[in-house]
Amino acid sequence: LVAAAATLLNPAGPRLYADIASTLGNPLISQLSIALQTPNFHNTLPRLIEVIAGLLVLAWTLGRPPRTEDCLLATALFLTALQASGAVGIFTLVAIPQLAEYGASAWAERAPAALRRLRVSLRPALAVGLTLLIALASAAVIVPRMSTAAAARSERSVEPSAAASFVATHFPGRRILSSIADADYLAYRFPSERIVFIDEAMAQFGTGPLRDYQDITHLTGKWHALLTGLDIDHAVLSTDDADTEALLEAGWTVNCYDAANGTVVMSAGSHPPAPSPPLPTRAAAC
C-alpha cells in the first residue's frame, strides 16, 4: 500500500495513470516506441530472459509445488516481456527471486545426500567467500567507470556526441531529424533550442505529429514534403537507418561521420550521392 501511494509522488500526480493508459492505448506510440516493441532476440542479452524463464520452469518442476500467485505473476510478466521490451526488467525482478527460492527447494529435494551435507558444512565459509567475491568483482567493474574520463568515453560510444558537437558548431538552432533513440540525447545537448522533432516522451506530442513522424521514418506518404514543410533540412541518423539512404537519394549530402557510434550528420542539398565508396568513407570525421 505504501509503494502504491508512493507512485503518486510525481509531477503529474494521479494523472500519471491516465497518461499511462493513453500511451498504451495509442497504436502510433506502440509502433514508434522501442520500449513497447518486441525484444530483438537476434541479440544476446534479450535471449537471457528465455534462459531465466526456462530455469524457472525447471525449478518449479523439480522443487516443491510453486505457489499459484507466483506462477501467474511470472507467466504474465514473461508474456508481457515478449510483447514489450520495456517489461523485461520487471520480469527479471520477479523471476530471479523465485528462481533462488524454488531452485533451493529443488536442490534440497533432488541433490544427493553427500552433496547436501557438504553444502551444510561449507555454508558459512561459502557465503562469506561468495559475498567477498561478488563485492570485489562489482568494484572492479564499477569503480573504473566512475571517473569523468570514463563517463566521457561512454557518452562518445553510446550517444552521437561528436555529431551533436558538429551540429552545435555549424547548424546552431536548426531543426534536426533524428531517430527516437538519439532524440533524447540531442534534446539534452540543446535544451533551450527545441530542435528535435520528437523524443521518447511521445504521448505529449499528440496524434498529428506522431503520424507525421511515422510517415517520415517509414518513408510512406509525402514524407519528403513533410520535411520541407516542417523546415527540417538537417539530420543526425544512423548509417543503417532507412531514412539515411532515402535522403541521399533525394539529394541530401553527408557533412560528417561519427565513427564512435555510426551516425552521420546530413544536410539538404542538390548534390547527388557518390555511388561509391561506402557511406562512412564519404565524409570526414565529426
Side-chain angles (χ1 to χ4, degrees):
L1 290 175
V2 172
T7 65
L8 301 178
L9 300 177
N10 69 86
R15 290 187 292 109
L16 172 71
Y17 292 99
D19 292 339
I20 293 174
S22 64
T23 298
L24 296 178
N26 191 324
L28 289 174
I29 295 179
S30 63
Q31 294 174 32
L32 293 172
S33 174
I34 297 174
L36 296 179
Q37 296 175 5
T38 57
N40 183 4
F41 288 106
H42 294 289
N43 296 334
T44 301
L45 287 177
R47 302 209 70 168
L48 290 178
I49 69 168
E50 297 175 319
V51 176
I52 293 174
L55 290 174
L56 184 57
V57 172
L58 185 63
W60 286 344
T61 305
L62 297 179
R64 62 176 174 78
R67 294 182 291 270
T68 301
E69 58 269 26
D70 286 346
C71 292
L72 291 176
L73 182 59
T75 301
L77 287 175
F78 177 68
L79 295 176
T80 304
L82 294 180
Q83 295 295 320
S85 59
V88 169
I90 303 174
F91 167 70
T92 57
L93 285 174
V94 169
I96 290 177
Q98 287 194 33
L99 187 58
E101 177 185 352
Y102 292 108
S105 172
W107 174 269
E109 294 187 15
R110 304 283 179 170
L115 288 178
R116 290 202 300 270
R117 287 195 298 271
L118 179 64
R119 176 176 178 268
V120 171
S121 63
L122 292 178
R123 182 178 294 173
L126 187 62
V128 173
L130 286 177
T131 300
L132 290 175
L133 182 62
I134 292 172
L136 291 173
S138 300
V141 172
I142 294 172
V143 171
R145 299 182 181 182
M146 295 176 65
S147 67
T148 303
R153 286 195 302 271
S154 176
E155 182 177 347
R156 286 193 298 269
S157 63
V158 175
E159 308 290 358
S161 173
S165 297
F166 185 92
V167 168
T169 301
H170 296 87
F171 312 122
R174 299 300 300 168
R175 295 182 176 181
I176 303 293
L177 174 67
S178 68
S179 67
I180 292 178
D182 290 333
D184 280 4
Y185 176 76
L186 294 173
Y188 153 74
R189 287 289 302 269
F190 310 108
S192 61
E193 299 176 39
R194 303 185 64 83
I195 67 170
V196 178
F197 185 177
I198 200 169
D199 57 38
E200 289 190 353
M202 288 177 286
Q204 65 181 322
F205 292 98
T207 302
L210 288 177
R211 186 175 290 112
D212 290 344
Y213 185 79
Q214 185 182 43
D215 286 342
I216 293 171
T217 55
H218 293 173
L219 304 175
T220 56
K222 299 180 179 179
W223 67 272
H224 195 263
L226 281 172
L227 288 177
T228 303
L230 293 168
D231 195 25
I232 297 176
D233 49 12
H234 301 287
V236 175
L237 296 170
S238 170
T239 54
D240 57 4
D241 196 302
D243 276 339
T244 303
E245 290 298 329
L247 291 174
L248 286 173
E249 294 177 3
W252 284 46
T253 56
V254 177
N255 302 111
C256 69
Y257 174 59
D258 185 350
N261 68 343
T263 55
V264 289
V265 178
M266 306 178 68
S267 297
S270 57
H271 304 292
S276 63
L279 179 60
T281 62
R282 299 181 201 169
C286 291

